[in-house]
Amino acid sequence: MPQGRPATVRSHRRGGPHRRPRVAPWIGISAVLVLVAGGLGAGYVYVLRQSCSGTATATIHASNSTAALLKTMAGKWVNTTPEVDGTCARVNVVAVDSKTTADRLATDWDTKTNGTAPDVWVPESSAWVGVAAALPAAEPILPDLQPSIARTPTVIAMPRPMAQAMGWPKTKLTWQQIIDKFASSSKGWGEYGKAEWGKFKFGMTDPNTSTAGLLALTAMLDANDDSSVDPSEQESVVRLQQTMKVYKETTQQILSLYTGAGGQGGDGGLTTVSAFPALEQEVYAHNKANPTSPLVAIYPTNGNIEADNPYLILNAPWSAAQRKKVAQAFLGYVRGPVGQSALKAAGFRDDSRRPGPELTERNGVTPDLAGLPRAVLVADEVTRTTQEWTALTRPTNLLLVLDVSGSMKTVVPGAGKSRLELAKDAATRTVKLFQNEDARVGLWVFSTLENGSRDYRTIVPLGRIGDRMNSGGTRQQQMIDRINELKTSRDTGLYDTTAAAQQAMLDNYQKDAHNIVVLMTDGKNDDPPGGLTLAQLTDKLKKTPKDKPVQIVMVAYGSDADFATLSQISQLTGAQAFSSTEEFDINRVLPAAVFGS
């Protein structure tokens, strides 16, 4: 994706007036609610019985924070007798978290596993659009127009007593200042006469799954708000990791920890977490549901970074023109008075950042926002930041397996390098991303009879990436050196290698780590001496012990790779395959397979 592409393009387009059909007085108009169960969960389809002929249904995949509201709006919209070119219009709203849809759009859509492909995607933030756009398969699908249906800033959430002890509502802090304050204090809450609350405890949510965590991380790192992260700013990733005392996948998990530990009126909850990133709307919703354990929102003075809930009408091959018109018509309703009223009542702001009547200091938030919102990082910066965070924080046990068959000698047009040379560059970049010395990594290569009687060969055995090797350097440096020495060989012994790699990871399984094989190939199984069939490999993978889950993430490299089969193999292990149809994109795809899976 080109650098500098705006993460959000506001659109003030509204759907035109709805033309009501003439209906004979003896024909009643009624709405029918149908529950649809699919691979992604339950969605609601609202069908209008009216004089228009046929139906056109647009499928909307919306984040969990807005899906229920959009479903309710769809029920009201149907009463306005919507139609497109004389065809009855309807929408099917399905709740899917933003990260999941971003991942699914980045590869060929599998309706059997993922359900009906969306005509519209409503993630919580344009940052997730950047996550998806960083991979080549998704970028052409994403539209330039990304109108927001609602906004909510990312804030520092604190229990009200703690915030008041620090001077709330007059408290003024930047993202970086709160990290520095929590990291440097030896007395903790004793500095404020509240020693019984213990040490400062900063909580963080996983930016790979949490919108608040993703936006907060990018804001903390991009101190000068220039939409990119320079090397000096990148160092604060380590500082943040060292500062946080509570780490969960989602904001809701931190909220549950707080309330479950005694937040309901007692001091117990105040010893669990002192501050954490959250969306303003999440703070409001928590306070409405838990009035005896209120939170307050502190708005960083170096700019608000907002979840803008963009409404993306996708340019996907499955998106019919008529369904796009339905999607556009529903957007007009959502951005109209009825839709905006419902969103504001739920604690969101409109596209101009205007609050509803519920966003008050009494409810823990500030109605009037000072300053303009911060820009969302460009797509490549979002991806790089989350990958480096994952490399630092996630316990990993990785076996990297690279195809060195003869076809890897193919020179890539326009790149001036062979497939293998580009793959070596991508593998080197991936290995360099690891910052946690306790991460475990290993390197194999494969073709056919690569090791006399086997199709694979161990280049660097599995072990701690920070271990000192006989060569004098670390395992990480040895990985880089050996990758640079790789040369091509024979055919592609794919199935035998996959089975052996999985068994090696089972033999070296780490209970508290992410156990993963990432195998990159530019072809399909081509093993003249024989070996496992696909059916035999499938049977073996299905027998994997349930208490030792090992994901096999296949990376299809180039247009000749058998992506359908590779995807099938990955799905058997609970993973997804990645595709780099344009060979020069492997530098983006391979790190995403390692750190985004």
Side-chain angles (χ1 to χ4, degrees):
M1 178 178 179
Q3 291 286 337
R5 169 180 169 180
T8 302
V9 179
R10 295 189 184 183
S11 170
H12 297 284
R13 184 185 303 173
R14 296 289 188 271
H18 297 291
R19 181 166 56 86
R20 293 180 177 271
R22 295 180 179 179
V23 182
W26 58 85
I27 299 178
I29 296 177
S30 62
V32 178
L33 177 64
V34 181
L35 179 65
V36 177
L40 290 174
Y44 293 90
V45 179
Y46 298 89
V47 185
L48 180 66
R49 293 175 181 164
Q50 57 179 27
S51 61
C52 51
S53 61
T55 57
T57 304
T59 298
I60 300 174
H61 285 194
S63 67
N64 296 320
S65 61
T66 59
L69 291 167
L70 290 174
K71 290 174 185 178
T72 300
M73 289 181 209
K76 294 181 178 179
W77 183 56
V78 79
N79 292 327
T80 69
T81 63
E83 64 174 65
V84 170
D85 299 331
T87 301
C88 304
R90 61 183 181 181
V91 292
N92 176 23
V93 182
V94 184
V96 194
D97 68 83
S98 301
K99 166 63 173 174
T100 297
T101 303
D103 287 344
R104 289 170 175 170
L105 289 176
T107 186
D108 291 344
W109 192 273
D110 184 347
T111 55
K112 182 177 179 181
T113 302
N114 303 333
T116 303
D119 301 295
V120 178
W121 179 30
V122 187
E124 283 187 307
S125 168
S126 294
W128 294 116
V129 183
V131 170
L135 290 173
E139 201 277 337
I141 294 175
L142 302 171
D144 291 328
L145 286 178
Q146 301 175 6
S148 168
I149 63 169
R151 291 181 175 270
T152 185
T154 307
V155 300
I156 301 167
M158 295 187 71
R160 185 183 287 266
M162 290 180 162
Q164 289 173 331
M166 293 181 68
W168 184 84
K170 296 182 179 181
T171 306
K172 304 295 182 184
L173 292 169
T174 66
W175 290 106
Q176 291 75 21
Q177 284 172 340
I178 195 166
I179 296 299
D180 292 341
K181 179 181 287 290
F182 279 32
S184 60
S185 174
S186 59
K187 294 183 179 179
W189 286 105
E191 292 185 13
Y192 297 91
K194 297 291 184 179
E196 66 272 17
W197 293 345
K199 299 289 185 181
F200 289 133
K201 292 184 178 179
F202 184 77
M204 183 66 185
T205 51
D206 185 352
N208 288 294
T209 54
S210 163
T211 299
L214 176 61
L215 295 179
L217 177 63
T218 59
M220 291 177 199
L221 299 188
D222 185 18
N224 60 5
D225 192 18
D226 65 352
S227 300
S228 65
V229 179
D230 61 39
S232 63
E233 291 173 324
Q234 200 66 38
E235 294 175 2
S236 57
V237 172
V238 177
R239 186 169 179 79
L240 173 60
Q241 189 270 340
Q242 293 172 340
T243 301
M244 68 179 186
K245 304 301 181 184
V246 178
Y247 188 53
K248 299 291 183 181
E249 286 190 3
T250 66
T251 306
Q252 187 54 52
Q253 289 177 349
I254 292 185
L255 293 172
S256 297
L257 176 69
Y258 167 55
T259 56
Q264 298 289 342
D267 288 341
L270 301 180
T271 63
T272 58
V273 64
S274 306
F276 55 94
L279 301 180
E280 179 188 62
Q281 192 272 339
E282 292 174 325
V283 173
Y284 164 79
H286 168 84
N287 289 343
K288 296 295 287 186
N290 303 275
T292 59
S293 57
L295 296 169
V296 302
I298 296 176
Y299 301 79
T301 57
N302 57 333
N304 296 308
I305 187 165
E306 298 179 346
D308 55 343
N309 296 281
Y311 187 98
L312 310 177
I313 301 176
L314 301 176
N315 298 317
W318 58 77
S319 298
Q322 191 175 51
R323 293 202 302 273
K324 289 184 179 181
K325 290 183 179 181
V326 172
Q328 188 67 46
F330 185 60
L331 172 62
Y333 184 81
V334 173
R335 287 169 61 93
V338 175
Q340 290 300 292
S341 177
L343 287 161
K344 285 183 177 180
F348 289 98
R349 297 171 182 265
D350 66 18
D351 191 38
S352 297
R353 309 171 80 206
R354 290 186 295 260
E358 292 295 301
L359 291 185
T360 63
E361 191 174 295
R362 180 174 58 86
N363 288 328
V365 301
T366 299
D368 298 323
L369 298 179
L372 296 174
R374 293 172 61 103
V376 175
L377 290 179
V378 294
D380 287 346
E381 292 291 345
V382 172
T383 300
R384 183 163 69 96
T385 298
T386 55
Q387 287 173 354
E388 293 189 4
W389 176 262
T390 301
L392 180 65
T393 60
R394 184 173 71 181
T396 300
N397 189 29
L398 164 72
L399 179 58
L400 182 61
V401 184
L402 301 180
D403 184 347
V404 293
S405 59
S407 57
M408 292 291 285
K409 290 187 293 187
T410 302
V411 175
V412 178
K417 293 183 177 182
S418 69
R419 288 178 179 174
L420 181 60
E421 288 173 317
L422 291 174
K424 287 160 63 172
D425 291 344
T428 298
R429 176 180 181 271
T430 301
V431 172
K432 285 181 177 179
L433 282 169
F434 281 101
Q435 300 181 50
N436 183 349
E437 291 189 350
D438 290 327
R440 292 171 55 85
V441 297
L443 175 66
W444 284 12
V445 296
F446 75 101
S447 59
T448 52
L449 299 184
E450 179 67 29
N451 193 27
S453 59
R454 296 185 306 203
D455 296 330
Y456 54 91
R457 175 163 51 100
T458 299
I459 303 299
V460 179
L462 271 166
R464 287 181 68 255
I465 201 166
D467 283 348
R468 306 299 296 186
M469 310 300 285
N470 292 335
S471 59
T474 63
R475 187 182 304 273
Q476 185 175 42
Q477 187 58 52
Q478 187 181 63
M479 290 271 290
I480 294 170
D481 292 342
R482 296 296 177 268
I483 288 170
N484 288 330
E485 295 169 359
L486 294 180
K487 292 180 173 56
T488 56
S489 186
R490 303 177 183 85
D491 297 308
T492 310
L494 176 61
Y495 297 158
D496 285 352
T497 301
T498 301
Q502 186 212 35
Q503 187 59 54
M505 293 303 289
L506 290 173
D507 293 342
N508 292 274
Y509 189 83
Q510 300 294 302
K511 183 178 179 181
D512 297 321
H514 182 54
N515 295 269
I516 177 175
V517 174
V518 175
L519 187 151
M520 187 209 68
T521 179
D522 72 336
K524 59 184 178 180
N525 189 62
D526 181 16
D527 196 352
L532 292 175
T533 65
L534 179 59
Q536 290 170 328
L537 174 62
T538 297
D539 184 60
K540 184 179 187 305
L541 295 179
K542 286 181 178 179
K543 294 178 181 178
T544 302
K546 299 298 182 183
D547 61 340
K548 289 186 175 182
V550 174
Q551 288 190 332
I552 299 177
V553 179
M554 293 293 199
V555 178
Y557 183 30
S559 58
D560 297 331
D562 184 6
F563 182 75
T565 300
L566 297 177
S567 183
Q568 177 183 342
I569 293 170
S570 290
Q571 289 174 9
L572 285 170
T573 68
Q576 75 170 57
F578 287 74
S579 176
S580 175
T581 54
E582 302 294 340
E583 287 92 336
F584 49 79
D585 284 322
I586 193 63
N587 202 44
R588 290 191 289 166
V589 174
L590 189 59
V594 173
F595 299 111
S597 57

